[in-house]
Amino acid sequence: MGRGYNLLSILVTFLVLVAAVTAQGNRGSSRGGGGRRPRVGYYGNRCRNVESIVASVVRAHVRSNPANAPGILRMHFHDCFVRGCDGSVLLAGDTSERTAVPNRSLRGFDAIEEAKARLEVACPRTVSCADILTLAAREAVVLTGGQGWRVPLGRLDGRISQASDVILPGPFDPVDKQKRDFAAKTLNTIDLVTLVGGHTIGTAGCGLVRGRFFNFNGTGQPDPSINPRFVPLVQNRCPLTGDASARVVLDDGSVGRFDTSFLRNVRSSRVVLQSDLVLWRDPETRAIIERLLGLRRPSLRFGTEFGKSMVKMSLIDVKTGSDGEIRRVCSRVN
């Protein structure tokens, strides 16, 4: 009798514990992850219109200011390469990531905030700012003529954002350093070349690039590796004594169109960033460019590969479960 009672007591206690753990897991799941990895269709009926709401907002902001498309794409890259894809770049503050030098020229914050506000009305405390930014980056590509892809969702928002953490691949980096930086984020060399291909839209500040076109390494001459026919074009757009904050396009001849024109310009040495130009000199990255341009077998489709690489990047160090939260406003923690 006593033994049977003890077994029954143990069984009841076990079932109570299982119920408690299950309930806790369900509560965590309803708030954005419960420890699960992001997946396509994550929100389901809890926020059926999440993708269409984000798309509508981004479309309006890109229509009013086309610079928002490359701005949002660049913002997503900067977010994922610092503390993972957790929306920490969106947080405001005197020492937040937004204040770091590479992030001061980012655009598109208003679009993310508006999408968040509309989603808080449609499905309160459900969709993270990190997911909104990830979806917005895809819309930026699609709106400029690029190919779309299915976006895994279910990230949580990070609570930490520090300018001192912002260490990003730089515009003067040699190929080997670019490879190491991407490998540190679980991205391979195909991902590197393909994601750099995103420079097919966007601009760079004249103050950042004109040294190569007037006084490369203190020689008083342009970088000899630049196509000589391209040099005067950039010199005219970025005069030596001109406004350093003026902008020059990254993809000459295909402004605002998401295509392979930028990769063709890399092949022709007609690009403004040194980190882009050196991709043609390295045998491995050069071969990938040739495959993406259909000049080498097996060929690669740029649109398809870009989508694959964007998905891989969007899963870098994502926050789930107790590691993050669902912010009510993207610019501040709850």
Side-chain angles (χ1 to χ4, degrees), residues 167-215:
I167 302 174
L168 296 163
F172 307 104
D173 287 347
V175 177
D176 287 345
K177 185 178 186 303
Q178 294 184 61
K179 290 179 181 179
R180 290 195 302 271
D181 288 345
F182 275 69
K185 302 298 181 183
T186 70
L187 300 171
N188 60 33
T189 308
I190 291 180
D191 298 319
L192 161 62
V193 175
T194 304
L195 291 172
V196 169
H199 286 170
T200 185
I201 56 176
T203 61
C206 285
L208 183 69
V209 305
R210 64 186 173 196
R212 295 182 58 237
F213 290 84
F214 286 97
N215 187 25

mmCIF file of all heavy atoms in Angstrom, residues 167-215:
data_model
loop_
_atom_site.group_PDB
_atom_site.id
_atom_site.type_symbol
_atom_site.label_atom_id
_atom_site.label_comp_id
_atom_site.label_asym_id
_atom_site.label_seq_id
_atom_site.Cartn_x
_atom_site.Cartn_y
_atom_site.Cartn_z
ATOM 1 N N ILE A 167 32.537 46.628 -35.512
ATOM 2 C CA ILE A 167 33.757 46.348 -36.275
ATOM 3 C C ILE A 167 33.317 45.607 -37.528
ATOM 4 O O ILE A 167 32.964 44.425 -37.480
ATOM 5 C CB ILE A 167 34.751 45.518 -35.458
ATOM 6 C CG1 ILE A 167 35.107 46.242 -34.149
ATOM 7 C CG2 ILE A 167 36.019 45.259 -36.276
ATOM 8 C CD1 ILE A 167 35.973 45.414 -33.217
ATOM 9 N N LEU A 168 33.302 46.316 -38.646
ATOM 10 C CA LEU A 168 32.741 45.792 -39.883
ATOM 11 C C LEU A 168 33.822 45.651 -40.953
ATOM 12 O O LEU A 168 34.865 46.299 -40.879
ATOM 13 C CB LEU A 168 31.652 46.739 -40.405
ATOM 14 C CG LEU A 168 30.414 46.894 -39.526
ATOM 15 C CD1 LEU A 168 29.628 48.134 -39.926
ATOM 16 C CD2 LEU A 168 29.541 45.654 -39.612
ATOM 17 N N PRO A 169 33.576 44.793 -41.956
ATOM 18 C CA PRO A 169 34.483 44.773 -43.111
ATOM 19 C C PRO A 169 34.613 46.176 -43.687
ATOM 20 O O PRO A 169 33.619 46.911 -43.801
ATOM 21 C CB PRO A 169 33.781 43.822 -44.086
ATOM 22 C CG PRO A 169 32.958 42.920 -43.202
ATOM 23 C CD PRO A 169 32.494 43.802 -42.075
ATOM 24 N N GLY A 170 35.845 46.581 -44.046
ATOM 25 C CA GLY A 170 36.076 47.952 -44.459
ATOM 26 C C GLY A 170 36.286 48.134 -45.948
ATOM 27 O O GLY A 170 36.577 47.167 -46.670
ATOM 28 N N PRO A 171 36.163 49.361 -46.435
ATOM 29 C CA PRO A 171 36.256 49.648 -47.875
ATOM 30 C C PRO A 171 37.673 49.529 -48.438
ATOM 31 O O PRO A 171 37.851 49.630 -49.645
ATOM 32 C CB PRO A 171 35.748 51.083 -47.972
ATOM 33 C CG PRO A 171 36.036 51.678 -46.631
ATOM 34 C CD PRO A 171 35.846 50.569 -45.650
ATOM 35 N N PHE A 172 38.658 49.344 -47.567
ATOM 36 C CA PHE A 172 40.040 49.215 -48.039
ATOM 37 C C PHE A 172 40.621 47.822 -47.754
ATOM 38 O O PHE A 172 41.816 47.599 -47.941
ATOM 39 C CB PHE A 172 40.923 50.285 -47.387
ATOM 40 C CG PHE A 172 40.408 51.682 -47.544
ATOM 41 C CD1 PHE A 172 39.806 52.330 -46.491
ATOM 42 C CD2 PHE A 172 40.513 52.340 -48.767
ATOM 43 C CE1 PHE A 172 39.314 53.622 -46.638
ATOM 44 C CE2 PHE A 172 40.026 53.621 -48.927
ATOM 45 C CZ PHE A 172 39.418 54.267 -47.860
ATOM 46 N N ASP A 173 39.766 46.897 -47.315
ATOM 47 C CA ASP A 173 40.239 45.577 -46.905
ATOM 48 C C ASP A 173 40.737 44.749 -48.084
ATOM 49 O O ASP A 173 40.079 44.692 -49.135
ATOM 50 C CB ASP A 173 39.116 44.795 -46.216
ATOM 51 C CG ASP A 173 38.820 45.322 -44.822
ATOM 52 O OD1 ASP A 173 39.627 46.113 -44.312
ATOM 53 O OD2 ASP A 173 37.777 44.935 -44.254
ATOM 54 N N PRO A 174 41.871 44.055 -47.933
ATOM 55 C CA PRO A 174 42.306 43.100 -48.953
ATOM 56 C C PRO A 174 41.401 41.874 -48.944
ATOM 57 O O PRO A 174 40.627 41.656 -48.001
ATOM 58 C CB PRO A 174 43.729 42.749 -48.515
ATOM 59 C CG PRO A 174 43.740 43.006 -47.038
ATOM 60 C CD PRO A 174 42.814 44.160 -46.811
ATOM 61 N N VAL A 175 41.510 41.074 -49.975
ATOM 62 C CA VAL A 175 40.613 39.924 -50.116
ATOM 63 C C VAL A 175 40.747 38.951 -48.954
ATOM 64 O O VAL A 175 39.746 38.436 -48.441
ATOM 65 C CB VAL A 175 40.869 39.190 -51.456
ATOM 66 C CG1 VAL A 175 39.992 37.950 -51.561
ATOM 67 C CG2 VAL A 175 40.590 40.113 -52.631
ATOM 68 N N ASP A 176 41.972 38.674 -48.540
ATOM 69 C CA ASP A 176 42.168 37.696 -47.468
ATOM 70 C C ASP A 176 41.451 38.109 -46.193
ATOM 71 O O ASP A 176 40.880 37.265 -45.495
ATOM 72 C CB ASP A 176 43.660 37.490 -47.197
ATOM 73 C CG ASP A 176 44.357 36.689 -48.286
ATOM 74 O OD1 ASP A 176 43.641 36.056 -49.092
ATOM 75 O OD2 ASP A 176 45.600 36.698 -48.335
ATOM 76 N N LYS A 177 41.501 39.382 -45.871
ATOM 77 C CA LYS A 177 40.788 39.837 -44.673
ATOM 78 C C LYS A 177 39.282 39.727 -44.861
ATOM 79 O O LYS A 177 38.557 39.352 -43.921
ATOM 80 C CB LYS A 177 41.155 41.281 -44.337
ATOM 81 C CG LYS A 177 40.521 41.751 -43.023
ATOM 82 C CD LYS A 177 40.913 43.156 -42.661
ATOM 83 C CE LYS A 177 40.370 43.536 -41.277
ATOM 84 N NZ LYS A 177 38.899 43.397 -41.187
ATOM 85 N N GLN A 178 38.788 40.048 -46.038
ATOM 86 C CA GLN A 178 37.353 39.902 -46.298
ATOM 87 C C GLN A 178 36.926 38.450 -46.119
ATOM 88 O O GLN A 178 35.890 38.169 -45.510
ATOM 89 C CB GLN A 178 37.024 40.384 -47.715
ATOM 90 C CG GLN A 178 37.238 41.871 -47.938
ATOM 91 C CD GLN A 178 36.805 42.312 -49.318
ATOM 92 O OE1 GLN A 178 35.637 42.185 -49.682
ATOM 93 N NE2 GLN A 178 37.746 42.836 -50.112
ATOM 94 N N LYS A 179 37.725 37.533 -46.622
ATOM 95 C CA LYS A 179 37.399 36.108 -46.479
ATOM 96 C C LYS A 179 37.359 35.708 -45.009
ATOM 97 O O LYS A 179 36.460 34.978 -44.576
ATOM 98 C CB LYS A 179 38.419 35.253 -47.232
ATOM 99 C CG LYS A 179 38.343 35.335 -48.744
ATOM 100 C CD LYS A 179 39.426 34.465 -49.370
ATOM 101 C CE LYS A 179 39.416 34.534 -50.889
ATOM 102 N NZ LYS A 179 40.485 33.703 -51.501
ATOM 103 N N ARG A 180 38.332 36.178 -44.232
ATOM 104 C CA ARG A 180 38.368 35.833 -42.808
ATOM 105 C C ARG A 180 37.165 36.415 -42.073
ATOM 106 O O ARG A 180 36.554 35.737 -41.233
ATOM 107 C CB ARG A 180 39.665 36.348 -42.168
ATOM 108 C CG ARG A 180 40.917 35.619 -42.603
ATOM 109 C CD ARG A 180 42.091 35.942 -41.666
ATOM 110 N NE ARG A 180 42.390 37.365 -41.597
ATOM 111 C CZ ARG A 180 43.231 37.997 -42.417
ATOM 112 N NH1 ARG A 180 43.850 37.306 -43.389
ATOM 113 N NH2 ARG A 180 43.467 39.285 -42.291
ATOM 114 N N ASP A 181 36.820 37.656 -42.379
ATOM 115 C CA ASP A 181 35.685 38.292 -41.707
ATOM 116 C C ASP A 181 34.385 37.558 -41.996
ATOM 117 O O ASP A 181 33.545 37.373 -41.102
ATOM 118 C CB ASP A 181 35.565 39.754 -42.149
ATOM 119 C CG ASP A 181 36.658 40.637 -41.563
ATOM 120 O OD1 ASP A 181 37.319 40.201 -40.610
ATOM 121 O OD2 ASP A 181 36.855 41.765 -42.086
ATOM 122 N N PHE A 182 34.205 37.142 -43.231
ATOM 123 C CA PHE A 182 32.979 36.427 -43.588
ATOM 124 C C PHE A 182 32.981 35.014 -43.013
ATOM 125 O O PHE A 182 31.947 34.531 -42.543
ATOM 126 C CB PHE A 182 32.798 36.408 -45.106
ATOM 127 C CG PHE A 182 32.131 37.639 -45.655
ATOM 128 C CD1 PHE A 182 32.777 38.871 -45.642
ATOM 129 C CD2 PHE A 182 30.841 37.580 -46.165
ATOM 130 C CE1 PHE A 182 32.167 40.009 -46.126
ATOM 131 C CE2 PHE A 182 30.214 38.717 -46.653
ATOM 132 C CZ PHE A 182 30.882 39.939 -46.632
ATOM 133 N N ALA A 183 34.128 34.364 -43.037
ATOM 134 C CA ALA A 183 34.212 33.017 -42.469
ATOM 135 C C ALA A 183 33.902 33.032 -40.975
ATOM 136 O O ALA A 183 33.299 32.083 -40.443
ATOM 137 C CB ALA A 183 35.602 32.421 -42.722
ATOM 138 N N ALA A 184 34.290 34.105 -40.291
ATOM 139 C CA ALA A 184 34.002 34.232 -38.862
ATOM 140 C C ALA A 184 32.505 34.304 -38.593
ATOM 141 O O ALA A 184 32.052 34.035 -37.475
ATOM 142 C CB ALA A 184 34.693 35.468 -38.287
ATOM 143 N N LYS A 185 31.733 34.646 -39.616
ATOM 144 C CA LYS A 185 30.270 34.706 -39.505
ATOM 145 C C LYS A 185 29.616 33.511 -40.202
ATOM 146 O O LYS A 185 28.419 33.565 -40.548
ATOM 147 C CB LYS A 185 29.750 36.007 -40.123
ATOM 148 C CG LYS A 185 30.335 37.263 -39.498
ATOM 149 C CD LYS A 185 29.996 37.387 -38.034
ATOM 150 C CE LYS A 185 30.569 38.658 -37.434
ATOM 151 N NZ LYS A 185 30.296 38.765 -35.975
ATOM 152 N N THR A 186 30.367 32.450 -40.418
ATOM 153 C CA THR A 186 29.902 31.200 -41.062
ATOM 154 C C THR A 186 29.499 31.400 -42.516
ATOM 155 O O THR A 186 28.673 30.647 -43.044
ATOM 156 C CB THR A 186 28.739 30.541 -40.281
ATOM 157 O OG1 THR A 186 27.553 31.338 -40.396
ATOM 158 C CG2 THR A 186 29.094 30.360 -38.812
ATOM 159 N N LEU A 187 30.067 32.402 -43.169
ATOM 160 C CA LEU A 187 29.777 32.663 -44.580
ATOM 161 C C LEU A 187 31.006 32.320 -45.414
ATOM 162 O O LEU A 187 32.129 32.656 -45.049
ATOM 163 C CB LEU A 187 29.406 34.139 -44.780
ATOM 164 C CG LEU A 187 28.173 34.628 -44.008
ATOM 165 C CD1 LEU A 187 28.030 36.137 -44.112
ATOM 166 C CD2 LEU A 187 26.909 33.941 -44.502
ATOM 167 N N ASN A 188 30.792 31.641 -46.541
ATOM 168 C CA ASN A 188 31.913 31.212 -47.371
ATOM 169 C C ASN A 188 32.238 32.260 -48.442
ATOM 170 O O ASN A 188 31.652 33.343 -48.491
ATOM 171 C CB ASN A 188 31.632 29.841 -47.986
ATOM 172 C CG ASN A 188 30.393 29.842 -48.875
ATOM 173 O OD1 ASN A 188 30.082 30.832 -49.534
ATOM 174 N ND2 ASN A 188 29.680 28.717 -48.907
ATOM 175 N N THR A 189 33.169 31.914 -49.329
ATOM 176 C CA THR A 189 33.627 32.888 -50.321
ATOM 177 C C THR A 189 32.564 33.188 -51.366
ATOM 178 O O THR A 189 32.492 34.310 -51.889
ATOM 179 C CB THR A 189 34.923 32.396 -50.994
ATOM 180 O OG1 THR A 189 35.870 32.043 -49.983
ATOM 181 C CG2 THR A 189 35.545 33.483 -51.859
ATOM 182 N N ILE A 190 31.724 32.217 -51.689
ATOM 183 C CA ILE A 190 30.606 32.506 -52.599
ATOM 184 C C ILE A 190 29.663 33.510 -51.952
ATOM 185 O O ILE A 190 29.182 34.448 -52.602
ATOM 186 C CB ILE A 190 29.854 31.207 -52.982
ATOM 187 C CG1 ILE A 190 30.737 30.322 -53.867
ATOM 188 C CG2 ILE A 190 28.545 31.537 -53.701
ATOM 189 C CD1 ILE A 190 30.081 29.022 -54.287
ATOM 190 N N ASP A 191 29.409 33.350 -50.653
ATOM 191 C CA ASP A 191 28.570 34.317 -49.937
ATOM 192 C C ASP A 191 29.209 35.699 -49.970
ATOM 193 O O ASP A 191 28.514 36.706 -50.186
ATOM 194 C CB ASP A 191 28.373 33.881 -48.480
ATOM 195 C CG ASP A 191 27.665 32.553 -48.343
ATOM 196 O OD1 ASP A 191 26.707 32.309 -49.094
ATOM 197 O OD2 ASP A 191 28.081 31.755 -47.482
ATOM 198 N N LEU A 192 30.512 35.756 -49.761
ATOM 199 C CA LEU A 192 31.226 37.026 -49.789
ATOM 200 C C LEU A 192 31.014 37.757 -51.109
ATOM 201 O O LEU A 192 30.568 38.917 -51.139
ATOM 202 C CB LEU A 192 32.718 36.789 -49.549
ATOM 203 C CG LEU A 192 33.701 37.890 -49.971
ATOM 204 C CD1 LEU A 192 33.446 39.169 -49.195
ATOM 205 C CD2 LEU A 192 35.137 37.431 -49.807
ATOM 206 N N VAL A 193 31.324 37.092 -52.213
ATOM 207 C CA VAL A 193 31.229 37.732 -53.522
ATOM 208 C C VAL A 193 29.779 38.094 -53.835
ATOM 209 O O VAL A 193 29.485 39.183 -54.342
ATOM 210 C CB VAL A 193 31.809 36.822 -54.619
ATOM 211 C CG1 VAL A 193 31.602 37.436 -56.000
ATOM 212 C CG2 VAL A 193 33.299 36.572 -54.365
ATOM 213 N N THR A 194 28.870 37.203 -53.517
ATOM 214 C CA THR A 194 27.463 37.437 -53.828
ATOM 215 C C THR A 194 26.900 38.611 -53.030
ATOM 216 O O THR A 194 26.206 39.480 -53.579
ATOM 217 C CB THR A 194 26.639 36.172 -53.547
ATOM 218 O OG1 THR A 194 27.178 35.076 -54.281
ATOM 219 C CG2 THR A 194 25.189 36.366 -53.947
ATOM 220 N N LEU A 195 27.200 38.665 -51.733
ATOM 221 C CA LEU A 195 26.688 39.753 -50.908
ATOM 222 C C LEU A 195 27.325 41.087 -51.273
ATOM 223 O O LEU A 195 26.657 42.125 -51.258
ATOM 224 C CB LEU A 195 26.898 39.432 -49.428
ATOM 225 C CG LEU A 195 26.033 38.283 -48.889
ATOM 226 C CD1 LEU A 195 26.444 37.913 -47.468
ATOM 227 C CD2 LEU A 195 24.548 38.648 -48.931
ATOM 228 N N VAL A 196 28.607 41.081 -51.626
ATOM 229 C CA VAL A 196 29.230 42.313 -52.117
ATOM 230 C C VAL A 196 28.545 42.760 -53.403
ATOM 231 O O VAL A 196 28.451 43.958 -53.690
ATOM 232 C CB VAL A 196 30.744 42.111 -52.344
ATOM 233 C CG1 VAL A 196 31.350 43.296 -53.097
ATOM 234 C CG2 VAL A 196 31.457 41.940 -51.012
ATOM 235 N N GLY A 197 28.002 41.809 -54.155
ATOM 236 C CA GLY A 197 27.242 42.140 -55.352
ATOM 237 C C GLY A 197 26.041 43.016 -55.068
ATOM 238 O O GLY A 197 25.487 43.641 -55.976
ATOM 239 N N GLY A 198 25.638 43.096 -53.783
ATOM 240 C CA GLY A 198 24.570 43.997 -53.385
ATOM 241 C C GLY A 198 24.938 45.457 -53.586
ATOM 242 O O GLY A 198 24.069 46.333 -53.523
ATOM 243 N N HIS A 199 26.219 45.733 -53.849
ATOM 244 C CA HIS A 199 26.637 47.098 -54.170
ATOM 245 C C HIS A 199 26.119 47.548 -55.532
ATOM 246 O O HIS A 199 26.420 48.657 -55.968
ATOM 247 C CB HIS A 199 28.165 47.200 -54.143
ATOM 248 C CG HIS A 199 28.741 47.182 -52.764
ATOM 249 N ND1 HIS A 199 30.089 47.054 -52.512
ATOM 250 C CD2 HIS A 199 28.143 47.275 -51.535
ATOM 251 C CE1 HIS A 199 30.299 47.069 -51.206
ATOM 252 N NE2 HIS A 199 29.139 47.203 -50.597
ATOM 253 N N THR A 200 25.354 46.696 -56.178
ATOM 254 C CA THR A 200 24.706 47.095 -57.427
ATOM 255 C C THR A 200 23.708 48.230 -57.195
ATOM 256 O O THR A 200 23.309 48.913 -58.134
ATOM 257 C CB THR A 200 23.994 45.899 -58.078
ATOM 258 O OG1 THR A 200 23.470 46.302 -59.340
ATOM 259 C CG2 THR A 200 22.850 45.379 -57.228
ATOM 260 N N ILE A 201 23.286 48.439 -55.934
ATOM 261 C CA ILE A 201 22.494 49.617 -55.586
ATOM 262 C C ILE A 201 23.225 50.346 -54.455
ATOM 263 O O ILE A 201 23.932 49.735 -53.663
ATOM 264 C CB ILE A 201 21.053 49.275 -55.149
ATOM 265 C CG1 ILE A 201 21.051 48.275 -53.982
ATOM 266 C CG2 ILE A 201 20.257 48.715 -56.320
ATOM 267 C CD1 ILE A 201 19.658 47.969 -53.425
ATOM 268 N N GLY A 202 23.112 51.642 -54.422
ATOM 269 C CA GLY A 202 23.705 52.395 -53.331
ATOM 270 C C GLY A 202 24.820 53.324 -53.760
ATOM 271 O O GLY A 202 25.219 53.372 -54.929
ATOM 272 N N THR A 203 25.324 54.066 -52.787
ATOM 273 C CA THR A 203 26.340 55.082 -53.026
ATOM 274 C C THR A 203 27.403 55.031 -51.932
ATOM 275 O O THR A 203 27.219 54.379 -50.901
ATOM 276 C CB THR A 203 25.718 56.489 -53.045
ATOM 277 O OG1 THR A 203 25.112 56.742 -51.761
ATOM 278 C CG2 THR A 203 24.681 56.628 -54.137
ATOM 279 N N ALA A 204 28.493 55.743 -52.175
ATOM 280 C CA ALA A 204 29.545 55.911 -51.169
ATOM 281 C C ALA A 204 29.868 57.388 -51.053
ATOM 282 O O ALA A 204 29.689 58.156 -52.003
ATOM 283 C CB ALA A 204 30.788 55.121 -51.565
ATOM 284 N N GLY A 205 30.343 57.795 -49.892
ATOM 285 C CA GLY A 205 30.713 59.184 -49.690
ATOM 286 C C GLY A 205 32.000 59.533 -50.426
ATOM 287 O O GLY A 205 32.947 58.756 -50.455
ATOM 288 N N CYS A 206 32.027 60.722 -51.016
ATOM 289 C CA CYS A 206 33.222 61.136 -51.763
ATOM 290 C C CYS A 206 34.462 61.171 -50.876
ATOM 291 O O CYS A 206 35.566 60.839 -51.320
ATOM 292 C CB CYS A 206 32.990 62.512 -52.384
ATOM 293 S SG CYS A 206 31.906 62.485 -53.839
ATOM 294 N N GLY A 207 34.289 61.568 -49.631
ATOM 295 C CA GLY A 207 35.427 61.622 -48.732
ATOM 296 C C GLY A 207 36.063 60.270 -48.496
ATOM 297 O O GLY A 207 37.253 60.180 -48.174
ATOM 298 N N LEU A 208 35.278 59.210 -48.681
ATOM 299 C CA LEU A 208 35.779 57.860 -48.471
ATOM 300 C C LEU A 208 36.574 57.340 -49.663
ATOM 301 O O LEU A 208 37.512 56.554 -49.500
ATOM 302 C CB LEU A 208 34.590 56.924 -48.199
ATOM 303 C CG LEU A 208 34.893 55.460 -47.887
ATOM 304 C CD1 LEU A 208 35.569 55.338 -46.527
ATOM 305 C CD2 LEU A 208 33.598 54.628 -47.909
ATOM 306 N N VAL A 209 36.240 57.789 -50.865
ATOM 307 C CA VAL A 209 36.795 57.151 -52.063
ATOM 308 C C VAL A 209 37.757 58.025 -52.870
ATOM 309 O O VAL A 209 38.569 57.493 -53.638
ATOM 310 C CB VAL A 209 35.659 56.681 -53.006
ATOM 311 C CG1 VAL A 209 34.689 55.771 -52.273
ATOM 312 C CG2 VAL A 209 34.914 57.859 -53.619
ATOM 313 N N ARG A 210 37.715 59.337 -52.716
ATOM 314 C CA ARG A 210 38.430 60.153 -53.689
ATOM 315 C C ARG A 210 39.948 60.081 -53.565
ATOM 316 O O ARG A 210 40.661 60.402 -54.518
ATOM 317 C CB ARG A 210 37.961 61.604 -53.626
ATOM 318 C CG ARG A 210 38.229 62.338 -52.340
ATOM 319 C CD ARG A 210 37.574 63.705 -52.388
ATOM 320 N NE ARG A 210 37.657 64.395 -51.104
ATOM 321 C CZ ARG A 210 36.915 65.446 -50.813
ATOM 322 N NH1 ARG A 210 36.049 65.931 -51.700
ATOM 323 N NH2 ARG A 210 37.040 66.035 -49.634
ATOM 324 N N GLY A 211 40.451 59.644 -52.416
ATOM 325 C CA GLY A 211 41.894 59.494 -52.284
ATOM 326 C C GLY A 211 42.479 58.561 -53.326
ATOM 327 O O GLY A 211 43.573 58.812 -53.855
ATOM 328 N N ARG A 212 41.742 57.515 -53.664
ATOM 329 C CA ARG A 212 42.206 56.552 -54.668
ATOM 330 C C ARG A 212 42.233 57.163 -56.066
ATOM 331 O O ARG A 212 42.948 56.667 -56.934
ATOM 332 C CB ARG A 212 41.305 55.316 -54.687
ATOM 333 C CG ARG A 212 41.332 54.483 -53.427
ATOM 334 C CD ARG A 212 40.451 53.256 -53.565
ATOM 335 N NE ARG A 212 40.853 52.437 -54.700
ATOM 336 C CZ ARG A 212 40.036 52.104 -55.697
ATOM 337 N NH1 ARG A 212 38.793 52.543 -55.728
ATOM 338 N NH2 ARG A 212 40.473 51.354 -56.678
ATOM 339 N N PHE A 213 41.475 58.208 -56.275
ATOM 340 C CA PHE A 213 41.352 58.785 -57.609
ATOM 341 C C PHE A 213 42.222 60.029 -57.804
ATOM 342 O O PHE A 213 42.328 60.541 -58.910
ATOM 343 C CB PHE A 213 39.887 59.109 -57.891
ATOM 344 C CG PHE A 213 39.033 57.875 -58.071
ATOM 345 C CD1 PHE A 213 38.498 57.211 -56.971
ATOM 346 C CD2 PHE A 213 38.799 57.356 -59.333
ATOM 347 C CE1 PHE A 213 37.732 56.066 -57.133
ATOM 348 C CE2 PHE A 213 38.039 56.211 -59.509
ATOM 349 C CZ PHE A 213 37.510 55.560 -58.401
ATOM 350 N N PHE A 214 42.841 60.501 -56.698
ATOM 351 C CA PHE A 214 43.707 61.669 -56.807
ATOM 352 C C PHE A 214 45.114 61.431 -56.250
ATOM 353 O O PHE A 214 46.089 61.920 -56.808
ATOM 354 C CB PHE A 214 43.077 62.857 -56.058
ATOM 355 C CG PHE A 214 41.903 63.470 -56.750
ATOM 356 C CD1 PHE A 214 40.610 63.111 -56.396
ATOM 357 C CD2 PHE A 214 42.077 64.410 -57.755
ATOM 358 C CE1 PHE A 214 39.512 63.676 -57.025
ATOM 359 C CE2 PHE A 214 40.989 64.985 -58.393
ATOM 360 C CZ PHE A 214 39.700 64.618 -58.035
ATOM 361 N N ASN A 215 45.193 60.691 -55.132
ATOM 362 C CA ASN A 215 46.480 60.586 -54.435
ATOM 363 C C ASN A 215 46.605 59.217 -53.773
ATOM 364 O O ASN A 215 46.638 59.093 -52.548
ATOM 365 C CB ASN A 215 46.608 61.707 -53.397
ATOM 366 C CG ASN A 215 47.973 61.761 -52.759
ATOM 367 O OD1 ASN A 215 48.967 61.316 -53.328
ATOM 368 N ND2 ASN A 215 48.036 62.306 -51.547
#
